[in-house]
Amino acid sequence: MKKFFRGFILLIIVGSLSACSSSTGVSQSGIQDKGKIVIATESEFAPFEFKTLIDGKDTLVGADIELGNAIADALGVDADFSVMSFNNVLASVTSGKADIAIAGISVTDERKKAYDFSDAYYEAENIVIIKKSDEATYTTLESLVGKAVGAQKGSIQENIAKDQLPDSSLVFLTSNGEMINELKNNQLQAVVLEKAIAEGYVSQNDDLMIADMTLESSDTDAYAVAFAKGTDQDLIDTVNDVIKKAKDSGDFDAWLEKAATYTQSSSSSDE
Ligand code: ARG
């Protein structure tokens, strides 16, 4: 009798464990049943995701947003963008707050241990942005020793700064817009960013420029859609199809070009 009970309890434990593991990661059919896909993103990362005024209304736009809409279309559901700080974006797919995350997320070996990723859709490059008036002062990584350098919290730029600017005084902030303001106000002397993002800020701020110094990217810096570990392969395949089509057809480049025609609203980031 005792043995029977023990076996029974074991069965219950194993059963509930497997129920748990099958609920991490979303399934394509689950999303289709819901009729919407919740996409975690951020809102200060032009040209990928940012807010701009359209008809007087703050509107989320950018290439990642177009990609999210194309994924929703392919699934036959609505896209529901959930805007949060970048340092919460990845965690939101694990907690189940979002189904997928699209936020210029770089694939790294470290992140691959905790998340599944789609194929890459964009190759980024890391640079240092400074004030034009400092052009002659900050010409090498060594010239930034002892200087205040910013990077976004939770981004790979945080690690790049730690590795390659270990003797700078590093400041990690949640909002890129805030970092750019601190740079303009001399609170920061430099900010580590990806090139496309920096170019957006430079084109809208005459007093800023990309510094003439080189950061070594340890990993290749490629953006991909992130999923919780254990996400159903059907969904990942659908996303990969959409990515392939967007790249092959030139749509992705067109989305980037369209995004470059909008002005980023100077609103602070949402939580
Ligand atoms: N590519 C970098 C990373 O994955 C930065 C991404 C920041 N994205 C954003 N929407 N702020 O860490």
Side-chain angles (χ1 to χ4, degrees):
M1 200 56 181
K2 249 191 189 161
K3 250 193 195 156
F4 172 79
F5 268 114
R6 233 181 273 157
F8 188 67
I9 288 169
L10 202 73
L11 252 176
I12 292 179
I13 293 174
V14 170
S16 55
L17 275 181
S18 63
C20 284
S21 68
S22 67
S23 70
T24 53
V26 284
S27 74
Q28 174 151 302
S29 56
I31 289 171
Q32 284 167 332
D33 289 346
K34 270 196 307 188
K36 67 169 185 178
I37 184 164
V38 181
I39 304 173
T41 191
E42 198 249 4
S43 64
E44 283 183 76
F45 203 62
F48 294 92
E49 53 265 352
F50 59 107
K51 290 194 171 160
T52 194
L53 279 182
I54 295 181
D55 297 331
K57 255 191 77 185
D58 240 356
T59 310
L60 192 60
V61 294
D64 281 350
I65 307 307
E66 304 264 13
L67 178 61
N69 284 327
I71 291 168
D73 278 352
L75 292 165
V77 300
D78 291 335
D80 178 2
F81 291 97
S82 175
V83 173
M84 57 192 81
S85 309
F86 182 71
N87 59 329
N88 291 326
V89 163
L90 277 166
S92 74
V93 297
T94 310
S95 69
K97 277 194 188 137
D99 296 314
I100 65 174
I102 313 182
I105 302 167
S106 306
V107 182
T108 65
D109 289 341
E110 197 55 37
R111 287 176 178 168
K112 273 199 222 160
K113 292 183 200 153
Y115 305 95
D116 287 343
F117 286 96
S118 69
D119 295 335
Y121 60 86
Y122 182 82
E123 296 288 333
E125 198 184 316
N126 288 281
I127 58 83
V128 174
I129 184 169
I130 57 171
K131 295 217 328 197
K132 241 182 216 162
S133 54
D134 285 333
E135 177 170 14
T137 317
Y138 303 129
T139 52
T140 59
L141 296 179
E142 294 71 52
S143 66
L144 288 168
V145 168
K147 306 295 173 193
V149 178
Q152 189 171 35
K153 213 182 257 176
S155 72
I156 63 165
Q157 285 69 42
E158 183 175 330
N159 292 329
I160 291 174
K162 283 180 190 160
D163 289 348
Q164 298 183 47
L165 294 161
D167 300 318
S168 296
S169 146
L170 301 176
V171 181
F172 303 122
L173 297 180
T174 333
S175 148
N176 280 331
E178 198 177 315
M179 273 195 302
I180 293 298
N181 282 338
E182 301 222 335
L183 177 63
K184 289 164 73 76
N185 297 331
N186 301 315
Q187 303 295 114
L188 291 174
Q189 272 67 59
V191 174
V192 181
L193 274 180
E194 278 147 343
K195 196 170 170 199
I197 317 311
E199 282 171 347
Y201 284 116
V202 166
S203 75
Q204 299 197 7
N205 295 274
D206 287 346
D207 53 340
L208 302 180
M209 66 175 285
I210 291 176
D212 187 17
M213 59 179 85
T214 318
L215 288 165
E216 310 290 335
S217 296
S218 36
D219 294 295
T220 57
D221 186 354
Y223 296 172
V225 176
F227 308 87
K229 268 264 179 255
T231 291
D232 138 43
Q233 192 60 42
D234 284 354
L235 178 62
I236 301 179
D237 289 344
T238 301
V239 169
N240 284 339
D241 273 355
V242 173
I243 288 174
K244 188 174 179 340
K245 275 192 202 122
K247 282 170 65 171
D248 291 352
S249 64
D251 279 355
F252 197 82
D253 291 331
W255 294 338
L256 283 174
E257 276 165 34
K258 181 171 152 203
T261 67
Y262 294 126
T263 313
Q264 183 162 192
S265 311
S266 55
S267 63
S268 59
S269 78
D270 306 45
E271 269 319 298

